[in-house]
Amino acid sequence: MRRLKVVVWVGLLSVVVSAFALRATADQALGARNVAMVVTGGTVVTMDGGRRVLSPGAVAIDGDRIVGVGTPDEIGRAFASKRVIDTTGKIVLPGLVNTHGHAPMVLYRGLADDLALMDWLQKYLFPAEAKTVSAEMVRVGTRLAALEMIQSGTTTFADMYYFEEEIAKATKAAGLRAVLGQTIIRFPVADAKTPDEALARSETFIKAFKGDSLITPAVAPHSAYTLEKQTLLASRDLALKHDVPLLIHLAETEDEVRIIKEQAELTPTGYLESIGFWTPRTLAAHSVWVTDEDISILKRRGVGVSHNPESNMKLASGTAPVPKYLAAGVALGLGTDGAASNNDLDMFEAMRQAAFLHKLQSRDPRVVPAATALELATLGGARALGMEREIGSLDTGKRADLIVVGMHRARQTPRYDALSHLVYATHGDDVETTIVNGQVLMHERKMLTLDEAAVLRDAEAFAVRVRAAVAR
Ligand SMILES: [Zn+2]
């Protein structure tokens, strides 16, 4: 009986749905559909399945989604909007995806550079963090990082830091999309005295933000060499329990390789494999010191890799085998890492440096061409984070995360090839308009979700405390 009722209801429902579908088609045939926004006139680099570059092209946006991509004529016939953004002479592309960083560390930008890693950590970074990391520091720092990211075209970022709930609130207020993980580490830190406390904090954080339209909560065990096996596995279990991403630093330095080898007679990747650490949604940052066998493990386990060329160069960590990752088909994205080791969050620069680094390393200028670098910063990053169905390209149905880049500077003139200019001649400052989830966060360089002057003033005020913390 119950089954019969269900069948009747489903039958009725499908009649109603088809009636609506017919109606929608009829409306479109009669006239254009009204949508929230149309971006039209510029070159549209879609990064879609055919890697189409529409010149000129147009994108229609309604709510938080892209509802149409095509020529200005096609989009003009199908859609009408009170809000039209004219991008003539400019380039429109998917918002950039920064797959690894520590947003609040922008407050330690340039505090100390050009030091040996242990000197840098022990004399500057650790004392500064011990004395200044707080909920307030994280709020002030995240707002500054969000300002910089919006101004340079990043629309999604992955983050591992402390007081992650404050990072989430500041990120949402700025309108950015992010994958955020509360750091879990062996020693006492500002927001957790023990790894168990950090795990409990992580779960509270996940419950608070699961299902949010902008924030994807994650679990972020710091690394294999700063955590016991039981904490690594508890982190994995927490990520599986809530079906959220797992973020970890992996094989960043030769020291890390040595430490894990002494402990377990394995590479860091081999060790995590041996304990069954991977989940279907793991992102490994750096992954510089890996063997061919490690690469095949990462590929087999579907682990995303975040390549951070600028941080790896500045800290002289080493060169990640990017051509090998690409050949193996590993889900590879680009990251800036924290601003203490970069020192900015400009993903255009990350693209250019990635291309240059691997050309030099392989002594082959054909390695990491512009199209590949751009893919790493968009669709590749989305894939590495397991978000390729939602972001990373301009496709109907995906989230409306896109940027408009000006192309009128001396260094961009003349222009023969859009991809070449985006990777080799464009800076973050050339981004004019940033849209996330259908919301315009910056238009023609004017900030709409953040009070730029207040963000800069608060950061300068906080820097006084950072300076005092490392004064000797
Ligand atoms: Zn990092």
Side-chain angles (χ1 to χ4, degrees):
M1 185 61 187
R2 177 176 287 174
R3 190 160 168 182
L4 184 69
K5 265 189 191 165
V6 170
V7 171
V8 170
W9 273 110
V10 169
L12 270 175
L13 197 66
S14 60
V15 170
V16 174
V17 169
S18 13
F20 269 108
L22 278 174
R23 172 91 190 276
T25 322
D27 279 354
Q28 270 186 3
L30 288 174
R33 167 182 163 191
N34 261 310
V35 293
M37 200 186 318
V38 168
V39 178
T40 187
T43 297
V44 176
V45 176
T46 62
M47 300 308 292
D48 67 5
R51 300 290 184 273
R52 284 184 304 158
V53 176
L54 304 165
S55 196
V59 181
I61 295 168
D62 205 30
D64 59 2
R65 302 276 167 182
I66 293 169
V67 293
V69 181
T71 64
D73 279 353
E74 287 165 352
I75 294 299
R77 275 196 299 274
F79 304 97
S81 180
K82 287 199 185 84
R83 178 147 208 202
V84 176
I85 297 181
D86 179 8
T87 55
T88 304
K90 301 170 186 179
I91 296 180
V92 180
L93 71 154
L96 305 180
V97 180
N98 186 345
T99 52
H100 180 65
H102 315 282
M105 291 185 80
V106 287
L107 292 175
Y108 305 135
R109 186 193 328 261
L111 180 64
D113 303 296
D114 315 324
L115 295 168
L117 184 64
M118 281 303 147
D119 270 357
W120 178 66
L121 288 176
Q122 286 169 359
K123 290 183 185 158
Y124 293 92
L125 198 66
F126 290 157
E129 285 196 323
K131 290 180 193 158
T132 62
V133 173
S134 64
E136 184 198 357
M137 176 268 182
V138 160
R139 274 194 297 274
V140 172
T142 303
R143 279 202 285 262
L144 178 62
L147 176 64
E148 185 181 354
M149 286 190 274
I150 293 168
Q151 288 182 334
S152 56
T154 292
T155 54
T156 295
F157 69 100
D159 190 83
M160 313 164 67
Y161 209 58
Y162 308 107
F163 299 99
E164 208 67 33
E165 67 285 350
E166 297 295 335
I167 296 180
K169 284 186 229 162
T171 300
K172 262 179 85 68
L176 282 171
R177 190 181 306 290
V179 178
L180 308 177
Q182 169 70 28
T183 294
I184 301 158
I185 197 161
R186 183 188 286 147
F187 45 80
V189 288
D191 61 353
K193 285 185 198 68
T194 63
D196 282 346
E197 218 180 290
L199 279 161
R201 257 184 154 278
S202 300
E203 184 152 31
T204 308
F205 172 64
I206 292 165
K207 287 178 177 165
F209 286 93
K210 188 87 198 283
D212 190 272
S213 60
L214 289 173
I215 306 299
T216 302
V219 182
H222 180 269
S223 62
Y225 71 100
T226 53
L227 286 167
E228 317 298 333
K229 177 180 166 187
Q230 67 185 74
T231 315
L232 289 166
L233 294 182
S235 302
R236 172 202 66 187
D237 291 343
L238 185 61
L240 288 173
K241 178 180 169 189
H242 294 282
D243 187 24
V244 295
L246 188 60
L247 312 174
I248 191 166
H249 292 97
L250 178 69
E252 179 177 359
T253 64
E254 280 183 292
D255 267 347
E256 177 178 341
V257 175
R258 183 182 48 76
I259 291 165
I260 301 292
K261 180 139 203 223
E262 281 168 13
Q263 280 173 11
E265 279 294 311
L266 290 164
T267 63
T269 307
Y271 168 67
L272 290 176
E273 169 77 3
S274 77
I275 66 169
F277 174 76
W278 317 114
T279 71
R281 298 176 74 182
T282 308
L283 180 92
H286 300 299
S287 311
V288 170
W289 295 97
V290 289
T291 62
D292 290 353
E293 170 59 18
D294 290 340
I295 292 173
S296 62
I297 289 171
L298 296 171
K299 168 65 182 165
R300 196 163 64 239
R301 299 297 182 190
V303 175
V305 170
S306 171
H307 174 44
N308 295 252
E310 296 168 88
S311 170
N312 295 161
M313 284 192 276
K314 184 161 185 269
L315 300 179
S317 304
T319 310
V322 162
K324 285 188 178 181
Y325 281 129
L326 292 170
V330 169
L332 188 68
L334 274 186
T336 58
D337 206 353
S341 56
N342 186 303
N343 290 356
D344 61 39
L345 307 180
D346 184 344
M347 285 290 292
F348 283 92
E349 196 184 331
M351 277 193 264
R352 182 158 52 251
Q353 297 296 338
F356 289 172
L357 171 60
H358 299 290
K359 291 176 196 308
L360 178 65
Q361 176 78 8
S362 60
R363 295 207 214 151
D364 182 350
R366 296 168 299 181
V367 166
V368 189
T372 303
L374 186 64
E375 175 150 346
L376 293 179
T378 52
L379 195 58
R383 259 195 226 116
L385 289 169
M387 298 171 83
E388 70 273 23
R389 280 188 298 277
E390 289 285 299
I391 60 168
S393 64
L394 302 180
D395 268 306
T396 299
K398 281 198 181 184
R399 302 281 188 147
D401 291 10
L402 52 126
I403 58 177
V404 180
V405 181
M407 282 286 144
H408 56 275
R409 308 281 185 119
R411 73 181 130 72
Q412 295 165 317
T413 308
R415 166 153 62 108
Y416 304 109
D417 183 296
L419 303 196
S420 165
H421 263 28
L422 286 172
V423 174
Y424 297 128
T426 295
H427 298 174
D429 282 352
D430 300 322
V431 174
E432 294 181 357
T433 297
T434 301
I435 300 170
V436 177
N437 222 33
Q439 185 188 8
V440 182
L441 310 186
M442 177 176 79
H443 187 49
E444 288 167 359
R445 297 300 290 176
K446 187 178 170 347
M447 296 301 305
L448 301 174
T449 52
L450 286 166
D451 178 344
E452 184 173 358
V455 169
L456 298 178
R457 195 171 56 235
D458 291 351
E460 289 291 358
F462 201 92
V464 175
R465 285 193 246 171
V466 175
R467 239 174 246 121
V470 296
R472 287 178 303 144

